[in-house]
Amino acid sequence: MSSKQFIRPQTQTPLQVSTARTPTTRVRPALNAVVLALSALFLHPATAAVDAPFVQGGKAGFVVSKISYALGPDAKDADTCPDGMSLNPVEIFQLTPEAKRHQGESDKDYGSRLDQGGWKIATAANGQNLCMNPEAGGPDPHFRTVKRSDVAVPGINMDGVNTPVGTSNDANSCHQSDFIGINGEAGVDNQFYRLVGCSRSFQTSGASNTYGIEMLTGAWGILISVSGVDDLSNDDEVEVGLYANADPIRLSPGRDPLQYATYAMDQDPRFRATTRGKIQNGVLITEPVTVRFHSIVNSLRLERELQDARLQMTLSEDGVLDGYLAGYTPVETMYDLQYGYRSGKDSQGELASLKLRLGTANGAARVLGHSCPGAYHALYQLADGNPDPNTGRCTSISTQYRVTAIPAFVVDVKTQSLNDALKQTETDDGY
């Protein structure tokens, strides 16, 4: 696990533990040791009181108020996609001779023919839809990824190794060229950026990195707890919990998350994780653990799984955590989250209708600009974690989230929150 620290903004200074001074006393030297020992016993208990309103009895709670993928620069700003951006099925069809416009063909007829051609591109030779069965199609040369590694990319070094530029994956290796960090750090593991850096929807103005908006509607959330806190500047051991939030996020009239609201942990043990950590120069650093969070796309219930996940977050004087949640997302899970939606469930926890899943996946491909088999095969090509013990093939891809969390009260109770009544209208329409 990396021990590198963030360069913290000047406005964020680590909090200090309140230290009461031993009263000056004029006693004989022989009694000084006894007096000092008694003073330490009463004025400096084993667990010192931390002078901060968001820490009570050595425990602090937080709710994630902002979350997004930690992505590198846009293609237009760093020339990371010299071959252009990824194409959707209709755009791929337009490159074929068959798509040439017929003389006298009306706009309506031509548009209909392009649409049909896009469906042809999205269908395997055996008739299977390629979003539901991406393995039935081959790698797509029109799905472009970032080849360069000499660009500054946000994130942390998760494996403690700086894999040199020019390293590529093969059937017996999980090594990919690492990036440099935004502050010059070496060995940043963020292959998800390499995957999506040439996709239009993942540029700054794109739609694929705005899933945090769904979080603010109350559909899902993330809680963090830190216990065993003795010192908010340097503490060599704390316990950290990461939980799915069972309550909707409380918002101000301006739609900003409110501090010090009370939230209940999800009671499903699959959505709870605890690990050890430390606070080093005001930065919370945790040991790896597998975490899961909820995600909702077009009323489809999905899961965000992050293996070997760890936090590296700066703690400000007003109790705001800011930094990275980083780990490795299983390839099949990431494909479902961003492209295929094959495992999407309805509000009753049952597998959603095939029509809804098909419509969502194929609609997303056209609107967001990619092909499903192109994304699927690129995920495996760029995977850099959790090698299969039998084949050596990597099964997960390094993924980093930029996260901000604000003070909150985190409780372990079964909630009767408004989330219980959050039922989005489910239709068979896609995007």
Side-chain angles (χ1 to χ4, degrees):
M1 177 174 59
S2 172
S3 60
K4 295 192 291 292
Q5 304 165 9
F6 296 119
I7 295 178
R8 297 166 41 244
Q10 293 183 356
T11 58
Q12 293 186 339
T13 57
L15 296 174
Q16 302 294 328
V17 176
S18 175
T19 54
R21 298 182 60 186
T22 303
T24 302
T25 181
R26 296 180 179 178
V27 296
R28 288 176 298 176
L31 296 178
N32 278 350
V34 175
V35 173
L36 291 174
L38 290 173
S39 298
L41 178 62
F42 289 103
L43 298 178
H44 299 274
T47 302
V50 178
D51 187 15
F54 59 91
V55 181
Q56 300 294 324
K59 298 180 180 180
F62 307 87
V63 62
V64 170
S65 57
K66 295 180 183 179
I67 184 170
S68 62
Y69 288 118
L71 300 178
D74 284 354
K76 64 180 179 59
D77 297 328
D79 192 28
T80 50
C81 305
D83 296 327
M85 309 301 281
S86 295
L87 304 180
N88 69 24
V90 172
E91 292 167 330
I92 295 171
F93 176 71
Q94 286 181 295
L95 299 176
T96 67
E98 186 181 352
K100 185 177 180 180
R101 188 162 187 165
H102 299 159
Q103 185 174 2
E105 188 174 25
S106 68
D107 290 344
K108 180 179 179 181
D109 290 343
Y110 183 54
S112 178
R113 192 159 60 83
L114 289 180
D115 184 66
Q116 292 300 316
W119 281 108
K120 183 178 179 181
I121 295 293
T123 305
N126 62 5
Q128 291 180 318
N129 181 271
L130 288 175
C131 283
M132 292 296 103
N133 305 277
E135 66 283 348
D140 176 12
H142 303 292
F143 189 93
R144 278 68 183 259
T145 60
V146 175
K147 306 299 182 184
R148 294 175 54 186
S149 297
D150 59 340
V151 290
V153 174
I156 62 176
N157 184 338
M158 292 190 288
D159 59 11
V161 176
N162 181 20
T163 306
V165 174
T167 303
S168 60
N169 203 351
D170 57 43
N172 300 309
S173 172
C174 280
H175 298 303
Q176 299 284 355
S177 296
D178 288 336
F179 291 101
I180 57 174
I182 56 177
N183 295 314
E185 308 94 327
V188 170
D189 303 293
N190 194 343
Q191 296 303 316
F192 182 74
Y193 166 67
R194 193 181 297 283
L195 173 80
V196 302
C198 295
S199 294
R200 287 167 298 192
S201 67
F202 280 96
Q203 306 304 298
T204 300
S205 59
S208 288
N209 201 20
T210 58
Y211 56 88
I213 296 174
E214 188 74 36
M215 178 185 73
L216 296 182
T217 68
W220 56 273
I222 302 171
L223 303 174
I224 301 172
S225 68
V226 184
S227 59
V229 179
D230 300 322
D231 188 325
L232 288 169
S233 179
N234 288 283
D235 194 323
D236 59 4
E237 185 171 355
V238 295
E239 184 175 291
V240 179
L242 294 105
Y243 318 100
N245 188 1
D247 291 311
I249 293 180
R250 297 285 301 276
L251 301 177
S252 71
R255 305 293 294 171
D256 295 317
L258 293 171
Q259 295 189 0
Y260 295 106
T262 299
Y263 299 103
M265 306 173 188
D266 194 311
Q267 294 297 296
D268 187 340
R270 296 181 63 254
F271 292 92
R272 296 168 169 237
T274 57
T275 184
R276 295 191 305 173
K278 61 182 177 181
I279 302 174
Q280 186 173 345
N281 295 328
V283 178
L284 174 65
I285 303 171
T286 66
E287 296 180 0
V289 66
T290 296
V291 299
R292 291 183 182 85
F293 304 117
H294 299 288
S295 182
I296 298 179
V297 177
N298 199 26
S299 81
L300 294 170
R301 273 66 173 171
L302 300 153
E303 293 182 10
R304 289 187 181 273
E305 179 181 351
L306 204 59
Q307 299 174 349
D308 297 323
R310 73 288 311 277
L311 295 172
Q312 187 165 308
M313 306 182 75
T314 300
L315 181 60
S316 72
E317 62 182 7
D318 56 355
V320 175
L321 284 169
D322 185 71
Y324 299 111
L325 168 62
Y328 295 87
T329 307
V331 165
E332 300 291 334
T333 298
M334 181 59 79
Y335 176 76
D336 279 359
L337 275 171
Q338 292 296 154
Y339 302 103
Y341 310 108
R342 300 168 301 177
S343 61
K345 297 180 180 179
D346 60 23
S347 59
Q348 306 303 314
E350 301 295 331
L351 190 65
S353 70
L354 178 60
K355 187 176 182 181
L356 176 59
R357 289 178 286 135
L358 274 171
T360 302
N362 286 279
R366 295 191 179 203
V367 172
L368 303 179
H370 60 260
S371 71
C372 287
Y376 184 80
H377 288 284
L379 272 164
Y380 271 113
Q381 181 185 2
L382 297 175
D384 57 337
N386 302 103
D388 184 288
N390 296 319
T391 66
R393 187 187 196 190
C394 301
T395 62
S396 65
I397 187 167
S398 52
T399 312
Q400 310 226 17
Y401 296 93
R402 185 80 200 198
V403 175
T404 300
I406 58 178
F409 297 107
V410 178
V411 296
D412 189 2
V413 297
K414 185 175 181 179
T415 183
Q416 298 296 323
S417 76
L418 296 177
N419 269 1
D420 295 336
L422 274 176
K423 305 294 184 183
Q424 297 191 27
T425 302
E426 295 174 6
T427 70
D428 287 334
D429 297 328
Y431 275 65

